[in-house]
Amino acid sequence: MMEGVSILRQFIGQLQELLELYGSPPSVPSNYFLQFQPQHNLRWCFLDLENSFVEGGCYNLIMTAGKSENLKMLEPGKPPPRKKARKEHNQVKATATTSSSETMEQLIWKEFPEDLFESVIARVPVATFFRFRSVCRKWNSLPTSESFSQQCAQVNQTQTWFYTITHELINAGAMYDPSMKKWHHLAIPALPTKSIVLPVASAGGLVCFLDIGHRSFYVCNPLLKSFKELPARSVKVWFRVAVGMTLNGKSTNEGYKILWVGCDGEYEVYDSTKNTWTHPGKMPPNIKLPLALNFRSQAVSINGTLYFLRSLPDGIVSYNMVTGVWKQFIIPPPVHLSDHALAEYGGKIMLVGLLTKNAATCVCIWELQKMTLLWKEVDRMPNIWCLEFYGKQVHMTCLGNKGLLMLSLRSRQVNRLVTYDLSSQEWLKVPGCVLPRRIKRQWIACGTAFHPCLTAIA
């Protein structure tokens, strides 16, 4: 018996020397036996000869493609490795890629030049910027930075938002972002709560408000809640007025002007750089009075000139905010036209309105021909949408007129909000305006379009 054990130990020693040359499991004490199983895998089982029980469990050696240099050591008691499924392989690969990507991003952003941060942030979407403001105090103070304001001035204002007033909350505004198709409800605490104020014009990211009594004007940036009450007007007006707003330059940093005009021909101009109203006088005698202004249509601003829609006679009156010159254009309206409003796109004057004939109603778009001073139809709402208004008495309000229109179409049975892109000629339905933690949809009373600006100060 002892002689057999001695022979086995000698065999084990020789085998250990062989395996050390090609890779082997941990060194095996001399008092252990090795058992072989006739398979492609070599299964090592260490048995304590003296105590007669399994001490170390089993170790598996896998020989790949018959090459001894690929022998691999596994943990005790674990089965041979199996081929990973493609899904598991992809998950491991994705984890490794993510870890590598995170390391790479940290290295990139660590070396990112400080002077480029403002240039990049000035070009991100507005909603994204407000999330960035919570990163640190420096980013939160960007709207008041002069260098950041200069970066924003270099970016073309292509986005259009809408500031609207609902019937249920007349003193609280709801802003719509067409790019995200999302409503935002931001309160402006500085606006008076004892009187009703309505948005009547906008320019450079600022919105002009007028109280329902037509006495006080307010200017604010709804995004930054920058607010300013304008000084009292020199002319006491108790009747309704039309309002327009323009910039003195490319941004509000160079100032802005506001014009109000009444049907009797009275008007005043406010200059933010002087913070005063001026009363140039009455309109020239070649413009027929009273004006019979269309108050459902907001003014259109093109290259410093404001255009107002009027009737009796039908047409447009304009005022150049630089030269102070008034002009009048007699333009016959399209046949069967009811509610309508002016719009602007690419320096061209547009008209949007309802055509009603018999029981059919449709929204149409016209462009003013400069040579003939006639309206030319360029598009109309899809027929399948117009069928919804068949036989109903529909009213239209144009909430925005700066390249992207928002139209409120309502009757006793229907309340629809749609947008129309004058550049792409695309009609889209607007999701219902629902207040936070509410279910009921809000009815839009009025509103105006504005270009969201992160640095415009009232």
Side-chain angles (χ1 to χ4, degrees):
M1 178 67 178
M2 295 301 296
E3 183 178 358
V5 172
S6 177
I7 295 173
L8 285 175
R9 286 180 176 175
Q10 183 180 1
F11 175 75
I12 291 173
Q14 294 175 352
L15 185 60
Q16 283 180 325
E17 292 176 0
L18 179 64
L19 291 176
E20 285 175 358
L21 296 175
Y22 299 96
S24 66
S27 60
V28 182
S30 60
N31 60 339
Y32 281 77
F33 273 127
L34 294 171
Q35 281 188 342
F36 291 88
Q37 295 182 1
Q39 300 175 353
H40 294 291
N41 298 342
L42 296 179
R43 184 173 180 83
W44 300 84
C45 293
F46 305 133
L47 303 179
D48 191 337
L49 297 178
E50 296 178 357
N51 299 321
S52 300
F53 64 89
V54 177
E55 167 129 344
C58 295
Y59 289 80
N60 291 331
L61 292 177
I62 308 302
M63 185 175 294
T64 305
K67 296 182 180 179
S68 58
E69 63 266 23
N70 291 329
L71 290 172
K72 297 180 181 179
M73 173 77 179
L74 295 184
E75 294 296 329
K78 287 191 177 181
R82 58 182 177 83
K83 184 178 180 181
K84 291 184 179 180
R86 180 175 297 180
K87 182 177 180 180
E88 295 180 5
H89 179 74
N90 292 339
Q91 290 176 348
V92 174
K93 186 176 180 181
T95 303
T97 303
T98 302
S99 177
S100 175
S101 176
E102 290 177 353
T103 304
M104 182 62 69
E105 287 180 358
Q106 291 177 0
L107 294 175
I108 292 175
W109 289 110
K110 184 179 179 180
E111 303 298 331
F112 194 82
E114 286 288 337
D115 58 341
L116 292 182
F117 268 115
E118 291 185 354
S119 179
V120 172
I121 296 177
R123 288 162 172 81
V124 302
V126 175
T128 304
F129 169 79
F130 280 96
R131 290 196 296 269
F132 283 178
R133 289 185 67 181
S134 61
V135 172
C136 59
R137 292 182 179 179
K138 181 179 180 180
W139 287 14
N140 187 49
S141 62
L142 280 177
T144 59
S145 168
E146 183 177 351
S147 59
F148 183 66
S149 178
Q150 294 174 355
Q151 291 289 348
C152 290
Q154 297 176 11
V155 180
N156 293 329
Q157 295 181 343
T158 57
Q159 297 186 60
T160 299
W161 281 29
F162 298 93
Y163 187 95
T164 65
I165 299 295
T166 65
H167 283 283
E168 288 79 2
L169 295 173
I170 200 67
N171 283 322
M175 290 181 290
Y176 180 67
D177 177 4
S179 63
M180 302 297 294
K181 298 182 179 180
K182 184 177 181 180
W183 287 94
H184 301 275
H185 302 273
L186 300 177
I188 305 176
L191 284 175
T193 57
K194 295 183 179 180
S195 61
I196 299 175
V197 292
L198 305 176
V200 291
S202 70
L206 299 179
V207 178
C208 177
F209 293 84
L210 176 63
D211 74 323
I212 200 170
H214 313 291
R215 295 179 179 86
S216 301
F217 281 87
Y218 309 89
V219 174
C220 84
N221 184 335
L223 298 180
L224 304 180
K225 301 179 182 180
S226 170
F227 176 84
K228 179 180 181 179
E229 181 177 0
L230 303 190
R233 291 177 288 175
S234 59
V235 178
K236 300 297 181 180
V237 178
W238 308 101
F239 47 81
R240 196 169 186 179
V241 297
V243 182
M245 186 175 183
T246 62
L247 295 177
N248 293 341
K250 293 184 178 180
S251 69
T252 56
N253 293 336
E254 302 177 57
Y256 56 87
K257 293 180 180 178
I258 297 175
L259 165 75
W260 69 260
V261 56
C263 293
D264 62 350
E266 290 282 356
Y267 67 97
E268 275 188 311
V269 178
Y270 170 80
D271 191 338
S272 65
T273 60
K274 301 176 182 178
N275 194 32
T276 57
W277 291 94
T278 59
H279 182 226
K282 293 190 176 181
M283 291 186 179
N286 62 316
I287 296 180
K288 184 179 179 180
L289 298 177
L291 285 176
L293 296 169
N294 185 342
F295 295 107
R296 299 177 66 88
S297 171
Q298 294 182 7
V300 167
S301 175
I302 301 176
N303 298 327
T305 299
L306 293 173
Y307 297 86
F308 299 88
L309 198 59
R310 66 163 298 172
S311 57
L312 302 175
D314 294 299
I316 294 174
V317 290
S318 68
Y319 180 76
N320 190 306
M321 298 287 272
V322 178
T323 62
V325 176
W326 284 94
K327 291 183 179 180
Q328 178 176 261
F329 306 91
I330 307 300
I331 307 170
V335 183
H336 306 297
L337 181 67
S338 55
D339 296 344
H340 55 288
L342 283 181
E344 177 270 335
Y345 168 66
K348 297 179 291 187
I349 298 178
M350 314 293 290
L351 183 72
V352 54
L354 287 177
L355 278 185
T356 303
K357 186 176 181 180
N358 298 330
T361 300
C362 186
V363 180
C364 294
I365 309 294
W366 295 269
E367 178 185 333
L368 181 62
Q369 305 299 295
K370 293 183 178 180
M371 297 298 295
T372 61
L373 289 182
L374 296 175
W375 296 110
K376 177 184 176 182
E377 183 177 334
V378 293
D379 200 8
R380 62 172 54 197
M381 181 181 284
N383 290 332
I384 192 170
W385 288 17
C386 296
L387 290 176
E388 188 177 12
F389 308 118
Y390 186 84
K392 301 179 178 66
Q393 186 176 0
V394 182
H395 295 282
M396 184 200 78
T397 301
C398 184
L399 305 180
N401 54 14
K402 303 179 187 299
L404 184 66
L405 312 180
M406 177 183 278
L407 307 177
S408 173
L409 303 167
R410 61 197 183 281
S411 66
R412 290 184 178 180
Q413 301 86 3
V414 179
N415 178 30
R416 292 286 180 269
L417 283 176
V418 300
T419 59
Y420 177 73
D421 192 327
L422 288 165
S423 61
S424 63
Q425 296 185 330
E426 182 180 21
W427 299 85
L428 291 176
K429 293 184 178 180
V430 177
C433 178
V434 180
L435 294 175
R437 298 179 296 276
R438 302 281 185 89
I439 299 177
K440 184 180 178 182
R441 293 177 56 181
Q442 305 295 298
W443 284 58
I444 303 300
C446 63
T448 187
F450 73 101
H451 294 296
C453 182
L454 304 174
T455 59
I457 305 299

